[in-house]
């Protein structure tokens, strides 16, 4: 059987948020404890997969370079306070690279953000986070539902967050994560137009060596997921493999949220 007849090679791209023992209620469902996180990282090490950042997957999807055997990606959204501290340390102890997508309005003192209150890192820690081994990507300014915004609002969310991170780091920031995965053909086109090379969604699916550059699938890690779940994903099972088309429910939900936002204005993606 050829690789083509087997279908695309599954690539687990894990999506974490906060790693803490006592998270605020609104993010608790998407939080794991430090002990659970350590067990997940040990499972990654034991799996024999090769940890890479989103840049390596971007290079492959753009045809610039091959992927290493059996890659795995660890990603973190928002920029919670644990990220440049114990979370980065746990990764560094195991020599695991990762990608952090930061919501610039939430980590800038006095910034504009729709995220509810939570302990967050600050923008002045971004360079240190990168030095610790994390690649930095954008997660917009305010964490709005991007697929419900006007063209001007959408462009500002993508451009302003990118610029804030680039000014801080002194280099391009070519990678984006859509808040809560919300995207559409219009959003994906804008991400490309303003200079992003990739964008990650959620989809709670395995990515693959044939995934879409502007809709890379991720597995969202919830507090109820076990080490056994992580091991199953690392083995390439337990979830659908991207790419695949959006279903009618996803499209219908998008249009409902779009109509609601037209009445209420931009809403938190979460």
């Amino acid at each position: 059987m050829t690789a083509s007849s087997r279908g695309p090679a599954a690539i687990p791209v894990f999506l974490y948020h906060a790693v803490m023992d006592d998270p605020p209620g609104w993010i608790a469902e998407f939080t794991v404890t430090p002990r659970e996180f350590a067990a997940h990282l040990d499972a990654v090490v034991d799996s024999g997969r090769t940890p890479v950042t989103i840049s390596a997957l971007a290079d492959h999807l753009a045809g610039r370079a091959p992927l290493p055997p059996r890659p795995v990606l660890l990603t973190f959204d928002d920029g919670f306070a644990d990220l440049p501290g114990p979370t980065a340390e746990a990764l560094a102890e195991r020599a695991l690279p990762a990608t952090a997508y930061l919501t610039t309005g939430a980590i800038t003192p006095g910034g504009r953000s729709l995220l509810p209150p939570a302990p967050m890192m600050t923008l002045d820690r971004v360079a240190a986070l990168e030095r610790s081994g994390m690649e930095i990507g954008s997660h917009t300014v305010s964490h709005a539902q991007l697929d419900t915004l006007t063209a001007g609002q959408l462009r500002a969310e993508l451009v302003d967050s990118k610029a804030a991170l680039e000014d801080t780091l002194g280099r391009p920031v070519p990678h984006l994560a859509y808040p809560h995965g919300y995207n559409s053909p219009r959003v994906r086109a804008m991400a490309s137009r303003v200079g992003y090379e990739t964008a990650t969604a959620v989809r709670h699916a395995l990515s693959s060596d044939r995934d879409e550059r502007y809709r890379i699938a991720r597995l969202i890690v919830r507090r109820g997921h076990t080490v056994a779940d992580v091991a199953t994903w690392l083995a390439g099972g337990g979830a659908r493999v991207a790419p695949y088309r959006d279903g009618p429910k996803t499209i219908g939900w998008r249009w409902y949220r779009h109509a609601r936002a037209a009445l209420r204005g931009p809403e938190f993606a979460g």
Side-chain angles (χ1 to χ4, degrees):
M1 182 180 288
T2 66
S4 177
S5 62
R6 286 196 302 267
I11 300 173
V13 182
F14 292 93
L15 163 54
Y16 289 94
H17 289 85
V19 180
M20 58 181 72
D21 286 309
D22 189 22
W26 69 269
I27 196 63
E29 176 64 21
F30 303 107
T31 299
V32 297
T33 68
R35 178 175 296 204
E36 290 166 339
F37 182 61
H40 292 185
L41 297 187
D42 289 340
V44 170
V45 172
D46 293 343
S47 72
R49 283 188 173 269
T50 305
V52 298
T53 63
I54 200 69
S55 286
L57 183 54
D59 286 343
H60 168 77
L61 295 175
R64 294 190 294 261
L67 281 166
R70 303 185 67 240
V72 58
L73 291 83
L74 301 169
T75 71
F76 298 81
D77 280 8
D78 300 330
F80 291 94
D82 62 273
L83 191 58
T87 297
E89 291 166 7
L91 291 161
E93 286 171 3
R94 297 164 177 82
L96 294 173
T99 301
Y101 295 105
L102 304 177
T103 306
T104 55
I107 66 173
T108 302
R112 173 177 58 87
S113 171
L114 295 172
L115 285 173
M120 305 299 292
M121 64 175 283
T122 50
L123 192 63
D124 60 4
R125 300 292 304 278
V126 173
L129 187 62
E130 185 179 58
R131 289 193 296 271
S132 75
M134 284 212 194
E135 182 176 51
I136 305 302
S138 164
H139 199 40
T140 76
V141 175
S142 72
H143 208 282
Q145 298 179 18
L146 296 183
D147 55 348
T148 68
L149 302 182
T150 67
Q153 291 169 333
L154 173 60
R155 183 179 181 87
E157 287 283 347
L158 301 184
V159 171
D160 292 354
S161 58
K162 192 175 192 294
L165 294 170
E166 290 178 342
D167 287 347
T168 298
L169 295 171
R171 61 159 190 80
V173 173
H175 306 298
L176 167 72
Y178 306 120
H180 210 65
Y182 289 143
N183 70 94
S184 66
R186 182 176 66 96
V187 173
R188 297 193 291 272
M190 181 70 81
S192 174
R193 192 153 58 245
V194 302
Y196 289 102
E197 290 186 10
T198 70
T200 54
V202 178
R203 316 198 89 185
H204 196 64
L206 291 152
S207 184
S208 76
D209 54 358
R210 302 182 201 170
D211 209 348
E212 303 169 72
R213 274 202 296 162
Y214 292 97
R215 188 164 53 167
I216 295 169
R218 294 190 290 173
L219 296 154
I220 187 166
V221 182
R222 298 174 181 263
R223 63 179 172 182
H225 286 131
T226 65
V227 175
D229 293 320
V230 171
T232 298
W233 296 330
L234 287 165
R240 194 173 184 178
V241 179
Y244 55 86
R245 294 181 178 180
D246 286 337
K249 288 184 179 179
T250 298
I251 295 170
W253 176 235
R254 180 184 304 145
W255 282 108
Y256 168 76
R257 290 183 296 99
H258 191 277
R260 188 174 62 188
L263 297 173
R264 301 180 182 178
E267 293 186 288
F268 169 57

